[in-house]
Amino acid sequence: MIAVVTDSTCDLHPDSARQLGIQVIPLQVRMNDRTLLDWQEIDPDAVYDHMRAGGSATTTPISADTFAARYRDLLQTHDSILSVHISGKLSETVRNARKAAETLGMTSRIQVVDSELASGPLAEAVMAARDAIWAGADRQRRRRPYTRRAPSCTPN
């Protein structure tokens, strides 16, 4: 069985992700000297309301340690992991995911992909990857539905 992992920038509601069998790891949102987990301790509407009221918000990428812990847990019950994330041009999240896979020595079981996307398009790409896995696609074919330009994608 293959686990599908993404980050909370995909804006997939946690209930929907759970129903689809997609693991979502939250980024941290910093507002008013508070750090909150995206979609767990604060939802996007609250962030937008805060910003409309003149406040500011920033995000922190998921740490390599957080990825490593989740990957370790998932590899107890799954043969491999497909981890698809926000564009590396927008966040260091995908870099940290790769670092975690390398640190664990599991790059043969953990495929990390820079989707070159964010938000809704990232969610669509992750759902397409999940559908491809459920349809029995091999490793290379799983990459196609969720990469904007397949030639620019590089393996771990």
Side-chain angles (χ1 to χ4, degrees):
M1 184 161 40
I2 301 168
V4 178
V5 175
T6 192
D7 57 75
S8 59
T9 65
C10 73
D11 290 334
L12 198 62
H13 191 280
D15 293 338
S16 298
R18 238 183 323 278
Q19 288 174 346
L20 294 167
I22 296 170
Q23 302 285 319
V24 180
I25 304 176
L27 273 72
Q28 296 178 342
V29 178
R30 185 157 177 82
M31 297 182 344
N32 295 338
D33 298 324
R34 292 181 60 205
T35 302
L36 306 163
L37 294 175
D38 189 25
W39 281 102
Q40 291 181 11
E41 299 171 335
I42 192 164
D43 66 36
D45 289 337
V47 174
Y48 298 136
D49 289 345
H50 172 76
M51 292 175 73
R52 275 192 289 273
S56 64
T58 59
T59 60
T60 302
I62 300 161
S63 71
D65 289 341
T66 299
F67 274 117
R70 182 66 67 91
Y71 290 162
R72 231 184 330 271
D73 289 345
L74 287 170
L75 288 173
Q76 297 296 315
T77 55
H78 294 78
D79 300 319
S80 61
I81 297 169
L82 176 62
S83 200
V84 184
H85 299 287
I86 184 174
S87 172
K89 294 175 184 171
L90 301 174
S91 172
E92 292 187 17
T93 296
V94 73
R95 183 182 67 80
N96 292 346
R98 286 189 177 122
K99 182 178 177 185
E102 290 166 7
T103 299
L104 292 172
M106 294 288 178
T107 56
S108 64
R109 293 181 65 193
I110 303 169
Q111 181 182 12
V112 177
V113 178
D114 180 345
S115 71
E116 298 186 7
L117 302 168
S119 194
L122 173 57
E124 291 175 21
V126 171
M127 290 185 289
R130 173 213 165 256
D131 292 347
I133 288 168
W134 284 26
D138 64 22
R139 184 177 174 121
Q140 191 59 33
R141 285 193 345 219
R142 287 193 307 259
R143 300 172 70 93
R144 291 189 196 126
Y146 55 85
T147 54
R148 195 163 45 113
R149 295 184 315 255
S152 69
C153 288
T154 57
N156 304 341

